[in-house]
Amino acid sequence: DIDHLNLRVQKELVEWLNWLKADIGFDGWRFDFAKGYSADVAKIYIDRSEPSFAVAEIWTSLAYGGDGKPNLNQDQHRQELVNWVDKVGGKGPATTFDFTTKGILNVAVEGELWRLRGTDGKAPGMIGWWPAKAVTFVDNHDTGSTQHMWPFPSDRVMQGYAYILTHPGTPCIFYDHLFDWGLKEEIDRLVSVRTRHGIHSESKLQIIEADADLYLAEIDGKVIVKLGPRYDVGNLIPGGFKVAAHGNDYAVW
């Protein structure tokens, strides 16, 4: 175990980080198992190495009901993510992986898309509260891949990407999905929509509909995304929008 409270440990780790930055060319850090040490310690490493980007893995369990499914209200879960960023320094480069959004999306795409509108009418994950500091993802090396600890429904992965690549937050793409699953072309199309229309971490999200079989949202007045099997949504799409990407149970205008 590393004693992060030991001043010598802190000094040597900071020197190592600065070497990685200056000599090797890294410009961002991922804090693995960040709940294993205090945010105060992470703040020391970030402040003294000044990365352009830093993201923490704070993976805690969602609140579940008696049916084994996540409760609609996950405020306590996302509050923990927000608290970490607050303590490390909200004006700096610190962000956290949006595990709240990941957990809700896992279940929502299985016919419960109403979960994607929180009680306040906003996105139910961290992106609904502090999108600039939320790094969204569908799966990573822990949840998917060989470890398979909390995997996204494999036949609905592209619905997950249609959500995170059109929504606020900073989306990241899983290597396996891009290169091993044969999804590169579909994912690239969504990335190009995001880039072309300037969708960014603090883009404005307006949720139009969130029912069991349909989630429809508009982002920055430029992009509309639909998840779910409901086909006839023409009456909900404003004039002037054209389909830019589509696949199994998702479409983007």
Side-chain angles (χ1 to χ4, degrees):
D1 289 349
I2 297 174
D3 180 7
H4 288 285
L5 297 179
N6 183 300
L7 295 181
R8 181 181 171 187
V9 168
Q10 291 178 8
K11 178 177 177 291
E12 292 187 356
L13 277 174
V14 167
E15 286 174 355
W16 177 63
L17 289 170
N18 281 313
W19 173 78
L20 284 171
K21 191 175 156 196
D23 289 19
I24 307 300
F26 286 98
D27 61 359
W29 317 130
R30 176 189 184 274
F31 288 89
D32 191 52
F33 192 65
K35 65 179 183 176
Y37 44 93
S38 75
D40 295 330
V41 168
K43 178 175 171 57
I44 289 169
Y45 298 141
I46 290 173
D47 288 351
R48 295 181 189 173
S49 64
E50 299 184 340
S52 61
F53 179 75
V55 59
E57 179 204 38
I58 304 163
W59 185 357
T60 56
S61 180
L62 297 179
Y64 289 90
D67 59 358
K69 291 187 177 180
N71 294 337
L72 183 59
N73 186 321
Q74 295 293 339
D75 287 357
Q76 186 177 347
H77 192 269
R78 55 181 172 171
Q79 186 66 55
E80 192 170 349
L81 303 178
V82 165
N83 289 348
W84 189 91
V85 175
D86 260 334
K87 286 179 183 174
V88 172
K91 292 182 180 176
T95 66
T96 65
F97 286 112
D98 190 349
F99 276 92
T100 319
T101 290
K102 152 74 172 164
I104 293 168
L105 257 181
N106 269 19
V107 180
V109 296
E110 300 272 33
E112 300 181 1
L113 291 165
W114 48 267
R115 291 179 177 275
L116 296 180
R117 175 158 53 194
T119 52
D120 57 2
K122 298 178 181 180
M126 188 182 176
I127 59 170
W129 278 3
W130 203 355
K133 296 295 183 178
V135 176
T136 51
F137 67 103
V138 174
D139 265 326
N140 63 28
H141 63 282
D142 289 319
T143 67
S145 195
T146 52
Q147 298 200 65
H148 218 61
M149 288 172 67
W150 202 29
F152 204 84
S154 59
D155 58 337
R156 299 170 196 266
V157 160
M158 282 309 304
Q159 285 188 59
Y161 281 112
Y163 184 88
I164 69 169
L165 289 172
T166 56
H167 277 53
T170 301
C172 61
I173 298 163
F174 188 32
Y175 181 99
D176 291 23
H177 292 155
L178 198 65
F179 296 108
D180 299 339
W181 286 41
L183 300 176
K184 187 176 188 305
E185 192 177 320
E186 266 191 277
I187 290 173
D188 281 350
R189 204 172 296 127
L190 291 169
V191 170
S192 74
V193 169
R194 185 181 185 89
T195 306
R196 195 163 61 244
H197 294 284
I199 304 303
H200 54 88
S201 64
E202 296 182 86
S203 284
K204 185 178 180 229
L205 172 68
Q206 181 197 352
I207 298 170
I208 300 167
E209 200 74 66
D211 293 330
D213 63 343
L214 172 68
Y215 172 79
L216 194 69
E218 187 174 308
I219 302 88
D220 282 348
K222 299 174 182 177
V223 171
I224 293 176
V225 60
K226 183 212 90 160
L227 305 182
R230 194 187 303 179
Y231 184 75
D232 186 17
V233 295
N235 61 315
L236 297 172
I237 308 295
F241 282 86
K242 294 181 180 177
V243 175
H246 63 90
N248 186 27
D249 287 345
Y250 78 87
V252 177
W253 289 263

